[in-house]
């Protein structure tokens, strides 16, 4: 782990999850507590590797959690459910129960919910007030808002109301909070909002975190380009359950999710290959998922070849370390006076701010960002 001498210890950092009682947020809170207590190593956290030493990142022990959610299940109970599902290791929910309970006390009602008669402006104002209150009571130096809620359908151009993700993002900007969108939902990509964030000196990063299938796609696609191998077709299937599976059973939400998966291939290969991605809700799988890809490509003299991959893993355990990474990086960027989109963080996303160039930059750009943060100390 990064030693205390290389972390920014001057103040605490707030982490405000949109979807704070979901699997990803619960796993992130429990994982942060476990790592801080020395119960588990920081496996999967890129910011805990050598290149990020001396970057002035906030220490994991300095993170204070809160958030919005429409669900009512307390975090300690949610952690017990994740333990029963095999997502969290046995005994961890009990070992970090106090930290989970403390985070749960900072969760406020999300929205809009059924029967909510407030207009968009009233909801945004309420969310922003929650963020301001959290900052005042906890004394954090800054609060990073992270959207880890379920994927929402892409908004219709003639919809008179903003999508929920845009309400939360607008509230974040209004409250002076850096922002991360780990979902495919609209979020800060709402007309006028990116400019408002930049004008307010706020950095932001997104969209749609790469946790499994698309992570593999983003590694394999450049290989075909670099080897001058023509990809003829690339098809995929995802089997998953849990809250994500239920949300993505909605064809409109699935279409929003698949757009990012397909965009990675089109941007990297230069053209969209034949084939589609399918998402199937299998409730029995819970938080576990299986992703299968079938890639047909041409070799020398037109020889037909096929590569198949299978990715099996727990989505929450894949996502949580990336979320903690992003919180630390964006908080440090804000402390260093950076604002607007952070394309160097495209390594983490399917549809990064900065477009195809940010996607192509990948890990080298992230390492360069670490050096930039060091220089800002």
């Amino acid at each position: 782990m990064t030693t205390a001498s290389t972390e920014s210890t001057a103040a605490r950092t707030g982490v405000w999850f949109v979807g704070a009682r979901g699997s990803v947020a619960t796993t992130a809170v429990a994982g942060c507590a476990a790592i801080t207590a020395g119960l588990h190593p920081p496996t999967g956290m890129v910011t805990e590797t050598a290149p990020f030493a001396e970057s002035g990142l906030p220490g994991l022990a300095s993170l204070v959690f809160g958030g919005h959610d429409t669900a009512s299940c307390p975090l300690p109970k949610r952690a017990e459910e994740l333990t029963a599902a095999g997502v969290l290791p046995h005994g961890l929910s009990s070992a970090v129960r106090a930290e989970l309970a403390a985070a749960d006390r900072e969760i406020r009602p999300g929205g809009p919910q059924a029967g909510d008669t407030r207009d968009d402006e009233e909801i945004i104002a309420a969310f922003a007030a929650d963020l301001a209150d959290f900052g005042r009571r906890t004394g954090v130096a800054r609060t990073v808002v992270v959207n880890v809620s379920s994927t929402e359908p892409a908004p219709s151009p003639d919809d008179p109301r903003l999508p929920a993700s845009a309400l939360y993002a607008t509230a974040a900007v209004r409250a002076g909070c850096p922002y991360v969108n780990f979902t495919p939902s609209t979020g800060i990509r709402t007309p006028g909002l990116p400019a408002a964030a930049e004008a307010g000196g706020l950095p932001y990063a997104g969209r749609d975190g790469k946790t499994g299938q698309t992570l593999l796609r983003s590694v394999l696609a450049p290989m075909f380009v670099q080897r001058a191998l023509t990809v003829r077709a690339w098809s995929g299937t995802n089997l998953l359950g849990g809250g994500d599976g239920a949300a993505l059973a909605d064809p409109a939400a699935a279409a929003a999710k698949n757009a990012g998966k397909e965009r990675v291939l089109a941007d990297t290969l230069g053209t969209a290959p034949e084939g589609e991605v399918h998402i199937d809700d299998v409730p029995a799988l819970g938080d576990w998922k299986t992703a299968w890809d079938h890639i047909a490509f041409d070799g020398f003299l037109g020889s037909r070849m096929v590569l198949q991959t299978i990715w099996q893993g727990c989505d929450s355990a894949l996502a949580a370390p990336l979320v903690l990474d992003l919180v630390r990086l964006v908080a440090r960027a804000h402390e260093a006076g950076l604002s607007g989109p952070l394309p160097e963080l495209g390594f983490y996303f399917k549809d990064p701010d900065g477009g195809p160039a940010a996607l192509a930059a990948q890990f080298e750009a992230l390492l360069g960002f670490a050096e930039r943060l060091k220089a800002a100390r």
Side-chain angles (χ1 to χ4, degrees), residues 198-215:
E198 190 155 10
L202 302 175
Y204 60 87
R207 157 174 84 164
D208 199 4
K210 290 187 301 192
T211 57
Q213 183 184 41
T214 311
L215 173 64

Side-chain angles (χ1 to χ4, degrees), residues 8-165:
S8 178
T9 57
R12 297 192 297 171
T13 297
V15 183
W16 191 267
F17 286 127
V18 178
R21 291 192 170 110
S23 297
V24 174
T26 305
T27 304
V29 174
C32 183
I35 295 168
T36 298
L39 301 176
H40 287 271
T43 305
M45 289 192 63
V46 180
T47 54
E48 285 294 309
T49 60
F52 292 87
E54 307 297 339
S55 293
L57 302 180
L60 292 175
S62 76
L63 303 184
V64 182
F65 295 97
H68 283 115
D69 207 318
T70 57
S72 59
C73 180
L75 283 183
K77 177 64 175 177
R78 185 73 186 109
E80 291 173 4
E81 294 174 351
L82 292 176
T83 299
V87 177
L88 297 180
H90 180 71
L92 180 60
S93 59
S94 298
V96 300
R97 185 176 183 84
E99 290 86 347
L100 289 165
D104 193 71
R105 289 192 292 271
E106 298 295 344
I107 297 177
R108 301 294 178 262
Q113 301 190 54
D116 194 334
T117 60
R118 296 174 297 175
D119 61 23
D120 286 354
E121 178 55 37
E122 290 173 312
I123 294 174
I124 291 168
F127 289 166
D130 288 338
L131 285 163
D133 179 62
F134 174 74
R136 283 192 299 268
R137 287 185 300 98
T138 59
V140 294
R142 59 189 50 81
T143 298
V144 180
V145 175
V146 188
N147 183 9
V148 289
S149 61
S150 297
T151 299
E152 64 188 17
S156 170
D158 56 357
D159 194 329
R161 299 292 299 267
L162 289 172
S165 65

Side-chain angles (χ1 to χ4, degrees), residues 24-366:
V24 174
T26 305
T27 304
V29 174
C32 183
I35 295 168
T36 298
L39 301 176
H40 287 271
T43 305
M45 289 192 63
V46 180
T47 54
E48 285 294 309
T49 60
F52 292 87
E54 307 297 339
S55 293
L57 302 180
L60 292 175
S62 76
L63 303 184
V64 182
F65 295 97
H68 283 115
D69 207 318
T70 57
S72 59
C73 180
L75 283 183
K77 177 64 175 177
R78 185 73 186 109
E80 291 173 4
E81 294 174 351
L82 292 176
T83 299
V87 177
L88 297 180
H90 180 71
L92 180 60
S93 59
S94 298
V96 300
R97 185 176 183 84
E99 290 86 347
L100 289 165
D104 193 71
R105 289 192 292 271
E106 298 295 344
I107 297 177
R108 301 294 178 262
Q113 301 190 54
D116 194 334
T117 60
R118 296 174 297 175
D119 61 23
D120 286 354
E121 178 55 37
E122 290 173 312
I123 294 174
I124 291 168
F127 289 166
D130 288 338
L131 285 163
D133 179 62
F134 174 74
R136 283 192 299 268
R137 287 185 300 98
T138 59
V140 294
R142 59 189 50 81
T143 298
V144 180
V145 175
V146 188
N147 183 9
V148 289
S149 61
S150 297
T151 299
E152 64 188 17
S156 170
D158 56 357
D159 194 329
R161 299 292 299 267
L162 289 172
S165 65
L167 299 176
Y168 288 115
T170 303
V173 172
R174 189 169 297 182
C177 298
Y179 176 83
V180 175
N181 188 3
F182 204 73
T183 82
S185 302
T186 302
I188 205 167
R189 294 191 188 180
T190 299
L193 205 50
E198 190 155 10
L202 302 175
Y204 60 87
R207 157 174 84 164
D208 199 4
K210 290 187 301 192
T211 57
Q213 183 184 41
T214 311
L215 173 64
L216 199 56
R217 286 180 164 213
S218 69
V219 172
L220 290 174
M223 177 195 73
F224 287 105
V225 174
Q226 292 161 9
R227 285 290 306 276
L229 299 170
T230 302
V231 175
R232 294 186 292 108
W234 198 316
S235 302
T237 295
N238 284 261
L239 308 176
L240 72 161
D244 272 353
L248 294 173
D250 176 358
K257 184 73 173 178
N258 285 337
K261 293 177 178 290
E262 294 167 355
R263 185 180 297 108
V264 168
L265 297 182
D267 288 346
T268 306
L269 299 174
T271 184
E274 294 180 6
E276 297 179 348
V277 180
H278 297 276
I279 298 177
D280 294 330
D281 178 26
V282 186
L285 293 179
D287 282 275
W288 297 83
K289 72 175 183 180
T290 296
W292 169 77
D293 273 77
H294 182 283
I295 310 161
F297 64 99
D298 288 339
F300 191 53
L301 303 179
S303 56
R304 297 294 181 94
M305 302 186 189
V306 169
L307 172 64
Q308 296 187 46
T309 66
I310 298 177
W311 179 287
Q312 294 178 309
C314 173
D315 222 18
S316 302
L318 289 166
L322 307 185
V323 168
L324 294 173
D325 274 351
L326 286 162
V327 164
R328 302 175 81 192
L329 291 164
V330 173
R332 177 68 182 109
H334 185 239
E335 181 186 34
L338 305 182
S339 64
L342 300 175
E344 297 96 335
L345 302 188
F347 168 74
Y348 289 98
F349 300 102
K350 300 181 182 73
D351 182 17
D353 296 307
L359 183 67
Q362 296 296 326
F363 194 55
E364 291 75 12
L366 181 61

